[in-house]
Amino acid sequence: MPRTRSILHVDMDAYYASVEVREQPGLRGRPVIVGGSPRQRGVVSAASYEARRFGVHSAMPMARAMRLCPQAVRLPVRMELYLRVSRQIHAVFKRYTPQIEPLSLDEAFLDVTDSVRLFGPAGRIARRIKQEIADELSLVASVGVAPNKFVAKIASDIDKPDGFVEVRADEVQAFLDPLPASRVWGVGKATNAELQRLGIRTIAQLRQQPRALLQDRFGKFGERLWELARGIDTRPVITDSEAKSISNETTFAVDISDTEILRAWLMDLTEQVARRLRAHQRYGRTVQLKLRFEDFHTISRSHTLAVATQTTRVIWEVAATLLQEALRKQNKAIRLLGVGVSGLVASPEAGGLQQDLFAGNNTAKQQVIDQLADQIQSRFGPAGIKRGTGCKHSPS
Amino acid sequence: MKLIISRETLLKPLQIASSVVERRQTLPVLSNVLLKANNQHLTLIGTDLEVEIVTQIPLEESVEGEITLPARKFLDICRALPDNANLNIETDGEKAMIRSGRSRFSLATLPASEFPNIEPMTSPYEFSISQKVLKSLIDQTQFSMAQQDVRYYLNGLMLELSPNELCAVATDGHRLALCKAEADLQIDETRQFIVPRKGVTELVRLLEESDTPARIQVGENHIRVDLPDISFTSKLIDGKFPDYNQVIPANPTKIVSCDREALYQAFARASVLSNEKYRGMRLELSPNQLKATVHNPEQEEAEEELEVQYSGEEFEIGFNVSYFIDALAAIKADQVQVNFTDANQSCLIHGLGDDSCKYVIMPMRL
């Protein structure tokens, strides 16, 4: 029996909107919606709890949100600001553990198993993190504490906003049993419909299903369902520096079929992946593209380079070609786009770095460009500098 | 279909037509070769959907018809028969019978109607060039083509037609080879097209060291090369080749010249201590001297010194030794000129006083 782990899931409440309210205290208590302009078919990126009461939620078309809540204050997305604040939040995390797995700007898993001897029980660490974020950054976090990622994530969500839920190892089953089966990780619309058909509504009911039946119905994922229903989740918290692959993906609020817009998103995602590679001094050889179509059909395509790279331009060229190939064969709209790099190594090639011939693709020059871009971004945020291709999707 | 043919006349054309047939096939009929007989000719066709080769053999007696036979087996049978054998080939229901002396083979067939046709070319541009010249253009450049690069337009050889010149360019992004030959092309403006890797390697095997002309037709999506009794067709790569002129060093300042063979031999010896992963070679230049050093991860070291003509300043630069060896092997002149700008920029190699063939190599940072 492996020792019991202590995993925290920290999730900021109405993050973008809360940061905006903090910046402009006059907005406190008023419905605030952050997102693109309704006239340009913008969508809601975040809504304060005051706005949510009117039925506004993220990913909703802004025009609709403003109809539901005409008195709301609409603010444009200020990504650089949220990124800066996110770094401050991470600085708080780092006081307690180096084992941090960021999921997005406002969400992260922390493994504090080894921090307990220094700082006391996991619950106390979680409360201190929540308190320090409130005191120092005037922001509210919901925190879940549990023996694994799956339960911690549910725990942080269940008492939102301003939530704090700790689930001890011996309470996991009692905690999970009454919850709807749709809470289980990976159960989306399709799986849930299938479960409903089988008469499974709660996690308790899911747990009572024979393992063989779940495997039969859901294949490999059935095995996972069987485990999760029992609160078994052995996935470790993976920090970027020990990752075997680095990837970023995004699900669009509205399915996209415009190639130029997809390319722009792809450039942004590529830039994020490449920056993470550089931040951790890693080079990757295999570039992967992930696409989920409007009908939920998901494909991934990959290409392996002769030489490992951390250069944005090189990853971009591969990713863009893979995208072009994939779109040539399918003309469905895209729901999710992701790019990743795997086959990570600490140096590109044992014997030296082969330079590339084509102008603008020159490795040395590209390295300087990447370095400068990274410096500018770390001072001014992601919008501080953008590559030409990446500018076209911004709603602002 | 029924025909009689000697092994001697059949073997070579059959080998040529079967050479494009891939061992692994998605469509069963693609592992077959198509035979078409009329009163005068037997036509053999092999294809992999990208490249098609058609060969023709005169016939004395035959009954018209067409059928496809498993290429590999048909060829192996033909090879294994004695030199002076005659083959009697006849279709018999869904089988084909091959008789020769006291040997009999009954082969499975597929109907000719299943065999894929390459679409006919619409309004192609036509020209002729001697086989020898075309062969040499390809031989001197093809080793620089990329292999399965994501920049798919590099996985082939670019041919550029201009009014007085045919130019072949290949590059894998690390090095580039360019060769030009005079040609009288009735053309108003420059035109480029890219022949995929497989087409290039197949075509070069068909070309002979002779002055016999090759008739070339270039259509929207295909290139066809007609040789005596052989017709070769390949798809073209649909893409734009990068601007190669831009990567040829414009003003190299450090000019080295030396004996080509001596430099080739020195690099070939030094490369013994490189390995597949690590092909780095350090070049140190000082007045009238070139020193090449190769290391490997086992801490072994090769060092070569060579007297050269060089009067510039001392400097160091790193290269993939194989790229240099490939270029030096392709150059025909006795003396070569190697032109450097600095340690971060590409170098240009060509025969001394001859720039019909140019080789550009990007350095490595060692």
Side-chain angles (χ1 to χ4, degrees):
Chain A
M1 186 73 193
R3 67 187 178 137
T4 307
R5 294 181 298 155
S6 298
I7 310 294
L8 271 50
H9 181 252
V10 183
D11 194 3
M12 304 304 296
D13 297 337
Y15 182 60
Y16 298 177
S18 305
V19 173
E20 293 293 349
V21 171
R22 186 190 75 164
E23 297 295 297
Q24 307 171 57
L27 296 175
R28 195 165 297 279
R30 294 177 59 188
V32 173
I33 304 176
V34 178
S37 155
R39 250 166 287 145
Q40 285 159 313
R41 302 184 50 208
V43 293
V44 176
S45 295
S48 70
Y49 284 90
E50 289 81 358
R52 290 188 198 190
R53 248 179 257 132
F54 294 87
V56 176
H57 57 78
S58 51
M60 172 183 278
M62 185 59 83
R64 173 133 183 265
M66 295 308 287
R67 274 200 303 277
L68 288 170
C69 184
Q71 68 272 45
V73 181
R74 190 187 71 81
L75 297 169
V77 180
R78 290 198 285 170
M79 200 49 84
E80 61 273 39
L81 170 66
Y82 315 142
L83 186 87
R84 203 158 62 226
V85 176
S86 175
R87 262 191 228 112
Q88 295 167 340
I89 298 169
H90 276 250
V92 174
F93 298 161
K94 281 182 194 145
R95 293 170 196 164
Y96 298 97
T97 178
Q99 299 290 316
I100 303 165
E101 178 179 339
L103 297 177
S104 62
L105 286 186
D106 57 345
E107 208 185 331
F109 283 117
L110 282 64
D111 185 335
V112 297
T113 314
D114 295 323
S115 315
V116 169
R117 272 195 317 181
L118 275 168
F119 300 105
R124 195 184 302 163
I125 295 175
R127 282 202 184 279
R128 278 171 70 173
I129 287 174
K130 191 168 152 62
Q131 196 60 47
E132 283 168 25
I133 290 174
D135 292 349
E136 297 170 27
L137 305 172
S138 311
L139 290 170
V140 182
S142 288
V143 188
V145 188
N148 60 48
K149 285 161 96 170
F150 165 55
V151 180
K153 179 142 173 138
I154 297 182
S156 74
D157 191 55
I158 209 144
D159 198 22
K160 236 175 178 333
D162 200 10
F164 178 90
V165 173
E166 182 173 4
V167 184
R168 288 174 222 280
D170 55 0
E171 301 165 348
V172 167
Q173 202 61 63
F175 171 74
L176 289 177
D177 273 351
L179 298 176
S182 56
R183 280 280 189 174
V184 174
W185 219 327
V187 175
K189 256 189 259 171
T191 312
N192 200 35
E194 177 74 12
L195 288 173
Q196 297 272 332
R197 225 171 308 135
L198 293 170
I200 301 169
R201 276 158 224 287
T202 64
I203 295 183
Q205 287 168 332
L206 181 62
R207 180 162 61 86
Q208 281 145 19
Q209 302 304 315
R211 198 170 185 157
L213 177 111
L214 292 176
Q215 281 171 343
D216 195 42
R217 293 282 166 137
F218 302 102
K220 218 172 154 191
F221 179 58
E223 179 70 18
R224 186 110 182 93
L225 282 177
W226 189 88
E227 285 181 352
L228 290 176
R230 281 160 182 73
I232 301 169
D233 176 20
T234 54
R235 290 171 307 164
V237 168
I238 298 170
T239 59
D240 276 353
S241 55
E242 61 190 12
K244 290 207 178 73
S245 69
I246 288 184
S247 61
N248 279 67
E249 60 181 48
T250 186
T251 301
F252 303 121
V254 184
D255 298 347
I256 296 179
S257 45
D258 183 323
T259 312
E260 280 311 304
I261 296 178
L262 286 168
R263 279 168 59 87
W265 277 103
L266 186 67
M267 173 52 96
D268 277 8
L269 291 166
T270 303
E271 184 84 88
Q272 289 172 35
V273 167
R275 284 194 70 199
R276 285 169 63 194
L277 279 173
R278 296 192 289 269
H280 295 95
Q281 268 146 43
R282 286 287 185 283
Y283 296 78
R285 270 192 73 189
T286 302
V287 179
Q288 275 153 320
L289 177 82
K290 179 175 169 188
L291 285 178
R292 180 166 298 147
F293 296 100
E294 54 194 333
D295 58 3
F296 284 84
H297 174 59
T298 307
I299 61 166
S300 68
R301 295 286 176 267
S302 67
H303 179 82
T304 301
L305 296 158
V307 180
T309 187
Q310 55 171 206
T311 306
T312 303
R313 169 89 181 218
V314 175
I315 302 170
W316 157 248
E317 276 176 358
V318 178
T321 309
L322 291 173
L323 178 69
Q324 188 189 341
E325 295 270 299
L327 294 180
R328 199 157 51 186
K329 288 172 194 150
Q330 287 279 6
N331 52 4
K332 290 182 272 187
I334 306 295
R335 184 182 160 78
L336 173 148
L337 178 68
V339 64
V341 175
S342 61
L344 302 188
V345 287
S347 77
E349 204 181 15
L353 201 54
Q354 173 67 53
Q355 310 284 304
D356 206 283
L357 262 175
F358 295 103
N361 205 357
N362 182 305
T363 323
K365 200 152 79 188
Q366 286 294 326
Q367 275 163 351
V368 175
I369 292 174
D370 283 345
Q371 243 171 37
L372 286 173
D374 288 353
Q375 283 167 13
I376 293 170
Q377 292 205 339
S378 67
R379 282 185 61 185
F380 302 106
I385 179 166
K386 274 191 174 240
R387 300 196 191 233
T389 314
C391 295
K392 293 163 198 149
H393 71 77
S394 318
S396 53
Chain B
M1 190 185 77
K2 184 177 173 179
L3 58 96
I4 297 174
I5 193 167
S6 74
R7 173 191 181 269
E8 203 191 340
T9 46
L10 176 63
L11 185 59
K12 198 169 171 223
L14 178 59
Q15 263 170 345
I16 291 171
S18 318
S19 65
V20 282
V21 176
E22 296 276 357
R23 271 174 196 279
R24 286 165 192 280
Q25 280 305 348
T26 41
L27 272 174
V29 76
L30 291 180
S31 31
N32 284 12
V33 59
L34 173 64
L35 284 75
K36 284 191 201 172
N38 62 21
N39 319 339
Q40 288 133 23
H41 289 106
L42 171 64
T43 306
L44 299 167
I45 307 179
T47 182
D48 69 345
L49 296 179
E50 189 174 74
V51 178
E52 179 195 82
I53 297 182
V54 182
T55 56
Q56 225 172 38
I57 313 165
L59 276 184
E60 276 165 21
E61 46 172 310
S62 71
V63 177
E64 271 193 19
E66 42 183 52
I67 194 72
T68 78
L69 296 180
R72 184 113 350 237
K73 289 173 194 157
F74 185 30
L75 178 61
D76 286 348
I77 289 169
C78 214
R79 268 207 199 105
L81 287 169
D83 287 352
N84 56 359
N86 278 315
L87 285 84
N88 186 325
I89 304 169
E90 193 176 348
T91 49
D92 175 17
E94 295 196 340
K95 291 278 160 70
M97 293 295 293
I98 300 174
R99 286 196 207 91
S100 178
R102 305 175 75 173
S103 312
R104 276 176 57 232
F105 306 88
S106 165
L107 280 180
T109 66
L110 286 169
S113 56
E114 281 183 27
F115 200 81
N117 269 330
I118 286 194
E119 59 202 271
M121 276 200 262
T122 48
S123 62
Y125 168 72
E126 286 188 43
F127 65 98
S128 288
I129 189 164
S130 98
Q131 289 196 46
K132 196 166 69 180
V133 171
L134 183 59
K135 184 175 168 62
S136 134
L137 278 184
I138 299 176
D139 274 336
Q140 287 184 277
T141 50
Q142 63 160 335
F143 56 87
S144 292
M145 291 187 290
Q147 208 161 2
Q148 295 184 328
D149 199 287
V150 66
R151 294 165 289 184
Y152 58 94
Y153 46 83
L154 299 185
N155 302 324
L157 183 73
M158 193 277 280
L159 290 174
E160 186 180 87
L161 315 176
S162 44
N164 318 309
E165 216 173 55
L166 177 63
C167 175
V169 186
T171 176
D172 59 9
H174 296 155
R175 36 108 175 241
L176 177 142
L178 174 155
C179 248
K180 289 176 178 179
E182 274 181 29
D184 182 22
L185 307 179
Q186 309 291 324
I187 192 171
D188 302 330
E189 51 183 22
T190 308
R191 197 173 153 165
Q192 294 189 344
F193 54 92
I194 309 168
V195 184
R197 206 186 155 82
K198 169 146 186 193
V200 174
T201 48
E202 289 296 336
L203 175 60
V204 78
R205 268 194 264 168
L206 304 177
L207 296 170
E208 288 175 356
E209 286 288 347
S210 80
D211 292 318
T212 332
R215 191 167 134 259
I216 300 178
Q217 293 169 274
V218 188
E220 197 66 7
N221 305 311
H222 295 92
I223 177 172
R224 175 164 299 154
V225 181
D226 285 314
L227 305 167
D229 296 326
I230 303 175
S231 173
F232 161 95
T233 309
S234 169
K235 275 194 181 167
L236 296 175
I237 292 179
D238 179 20
K240 191 170 164 12
F241 203 75
D243 181 3
Y244 62 89
N245 279 313
Q246 220 179 43
V247 300
I248 297 172
N251 297 304
T253 48
K254 304 176 168 65
I255 317 289
V256 178
S257 50
C258 64
D259 185 69
R260 183 189 65 84
E261 183 65 19
L263 188 62
Y264 174 83
Q265 295 294 349
F267 287 173
R269 281 191 298 269
S271 75
V272 170
L273 293 189
S274 68
N275 69 30
E276 242 163 65
K277 270 197 154 167
Y278 180 23
R279 307 293 295 173
M281 165 178 72
R282 187 182 303 279
L283 289 185
E284 288 165 68
L285 277 156
S286 48
N288 292 332
Q289 169 147 325
L290 179 148
K291 192 167 115 183
T293 333
V294 169
H295 290 272
N296 65 20
E298 291 90 57
Q299 309 293 326
E300 295 165 319
E301 185 182 290
E303 202 179 282
E304 288 280 343
E305 280 180 8
L306 192 72
E307 212 170 293
V308 297
Q309 278 155 297
Y310 176 62
S311 54
E313 59 194 69
E314 288 189 15
F315 89 111
E316 266 186 45
I317 188 165
F319 285 102
N320 179 327
V321 62
S322 325
Y323 295 168
F324 247 97
I325 291 175
D326 287 346
L328 290 170
I331 292 174
K332 288 174 178 164
D334 292 336
Q335 297 283 312
V336 287
Q337 186 171 322
V338 188
N339 309 275
F340 302 95
T341 307
D342 63 43
N344 293 318
Q345 297 193 49
S346 60
C347 93
L348 168 67
I349 311 168
H350 56 78
L352 193 64
D354 168 21
D355 63 355
S356 62
C357 291
K358 292 178 181 169
Y359 301 91
V360 181
I361 306 178
M362 271 312 271
M364 279 178 101
R365 280 193 296 153
L366 297 178

